[in-house]
Amino acid sequence: MTIQTDFHIHSDFSADSHSSMECMIQEGIRLGLKTMCFTDHLDLDFPYEDIRFDLDIPRYRQTFETLREKYESQIELLFGIELGLQPHLSAQLLNVLNHAPFDFVIGSTHLVNRTDPYYPEYFKDRSDCEAFRQYFEEVLKNITSFPHFDALGHLDYIVRYSPNKSKNYQWTDYCDLIDPILSFLIQSDLALEVNTAGLKYGLGQPNPAPEILKRYYQLGGRKITIGSDAHCPAHLAYEFSALPALLSACGFQQYTVYRNRQPYQENFISTP
């Protein structure tokens, strides 16, 4: 049994995508996906003038509902959002969630001290160790300030953009931060995302690294969501075929999907 659900998908409602929602849906159907969850970006107070992530939620929802009805006989479509977390935004983000019927909410850290690691300037005059440590510190601060999401997005996202990629990255160098992050998720009944964009970026592994997934399982974590972080049709369900063996080696036999903010477990490994 293969993974047929993608729970991290962007369309041109996200400022960093140029692909229409319908184009993404049509590709998902062609690939044989049974469920797609759109999770377009809302990053309020984003500090860069050249790109804004102020999601037009009413228009986003209206387009989604129109397409859900159009394609309901071919694929299950779910309505989600990816929130860029910053502690000072907690009240605003909670208000957003209280006024729209999301099926699924990703909480992600995209900024550290008002800088996005996507941009090379973040790594200027910093060692990888310092850059990574500051990122994990920010993740811990963000999730404890705002635990009102369903899954933590791309935990070691920062490694994608390091000039050295994962060459200087060992998760155990940051276990004093990563263990509390994982423990907080478990204690708060929140999921950890397995994001295959790390493979797309040449890391040879998803985000987070398999060793972190193993640690999460050892600590008692069982809820994982699966997402490609696709911003165009070509990256939908990216390298999903590699995940069952990888996740099985980490201890997992199931993954989690969300409908109406409620978790449901699905098998990804066939049983005799």
Side-chain angles (χ1 to χ4, degrees):
M1 183 182 299
T2 58
I3 295 170
Q4 295 177 296
T5 66
D6 193 335
F7 265 66
H8 193 148
I9 299 171
H10 297 285
S11 72
D12 55 9
F13 282 97
S14 291
D16 55 356
S17 172
H18 301 290
S19 299
S20 72
M21 191 177 286
E22 185 161 26
C23 184
M24 299 294 277
I25 293 167
Q26 290 172 346
E27 178 63 9
I29 293 170
R30 189 191 72 79
L31 290 172
L33 290 176
K34 69 175 186 179
T35 303
M36 295 173 63
C37 185
F38 284 91
T39 54
D40 278 306
H41 284 291
L42 178 63
D43 277 69
L44 299 174
D45 195 23
F46 199 70
Y48 296 87
E49 293 298 327
D50 59 330
I51 188 167
R52 310 302 300 175
F53 290 101
D54 301 328
L55 179 61
D56 184 344
I57 294 176
R59 192 167 66 89
Y60 174 46
R61 182 183 174 191
Q62 181 180 40
T63 300
F64 172 83
E65 294 295 349
T66 298
L67 292 170
R68 174 154 63 180
E69 182 176 355
K70 180 177 180 178
Y71 290 99
E72 63 182 349
S73 66
Q74 300 178 66
I75 194 167
E76 179 185 30
L77 299 175
L78 297 173
F79 185 55
I81 191 168
E82 181 179 8
L83 300 178
L85 304 182
Q86 298 184 67
H88 71 282
L89 297 175
S90 294
Q92 288 174 263
L93 295 180
L94 192 57
N95 186 58
V96 167
L97 298 185
N98 287 337
H99 287 86
F102 294 108
D103 287 297
F104 177 58
V105 178
I106 299 173
S108 296
T109 295
H110 296 129
L111 296 172
V112 182
N113 297 326
R114 307 288 294 161
T115 304
D116 189 337
Y118 175 83
Y119 296 97
E121 66 188 78
Y122 177 82
F123 293 91
K124 187 178 180 180
D125 301 322
R126 281 188 179 129
S127 67
D128 278 353
C129 181
E130 182 182 7
F132 296 164
R133 176 162 290 276
Q134 290 180 355
Y135 180 80
F136 290 125
E137 288 173 345
E138 199 71 16
V139 172
L140 184 57
K141 181 168 63 176
N142 283 338
I143 65 174
T144 53
S145 298
F146 189 84
H148 307 291
F149 53 90
D150 299 312
L152 175 63
H154 46 55
L155 172 54
D156 49 10
Y157 156 94
I158 188 171
V159 183
R160 296 181 189 173
Y161 305 114
S162 165
N164 301 300
K165 299 295 184 182
S166 56
K167 179 181 177 182
N168 301 321
Y169 175 54
Q170 293 291 333
W171 85 272
T172 50
D173 293 339
Y174 315 98
C175 62
D176 58 310
L177 294 166
I178 292 176
D179 268 6
I181 290 169
L182 300 179
S183 295
F184 182 83
L185 295 179
I186 294 164
Q187 292 163 10
S188 303
D189 200 25
L190 301 172
L192 177 65
E193 180 190 50
V194 180
N195 184 307
T196 61
L199 296 164
K200 181 184 71 178
Y201 279 90
L203 300 181
Q205 58 193 27
N207 301 114
E211 292 80 8
I212 293 177
L213 294 171
K214 289 178 185 177
R215 180 60 175 160
Y216 176 66
Y217 190 89
Q218 289 170 356
L219 293 172
R222 296 295 183 269
K223 287 184 178 178
I224 53 171
T225 62
I226 309 295
S228 65
D229 208 347
H231 289 68
C232 67
H235 295 146
L236 272 173
Y238 191 83
E239 294 288 355
F240 275 19
S241 61
L243 290 182
L246 183 153
L247 294 173
S248 178
C250 295
F252 297 97
Q253 301 297 314
Q254 295 180 311
Y255 62 98
T256 306
V257 300
Y258 284 80
R259 299 177 182 90
N260 195 29
R261 306 290 308 276
Q262 296 299 309
Y264 300 87
Q265 296 298 107
E266 298 209 2
N267 295 322
F268 59 78
I269 295 176
S270 297
T271 53

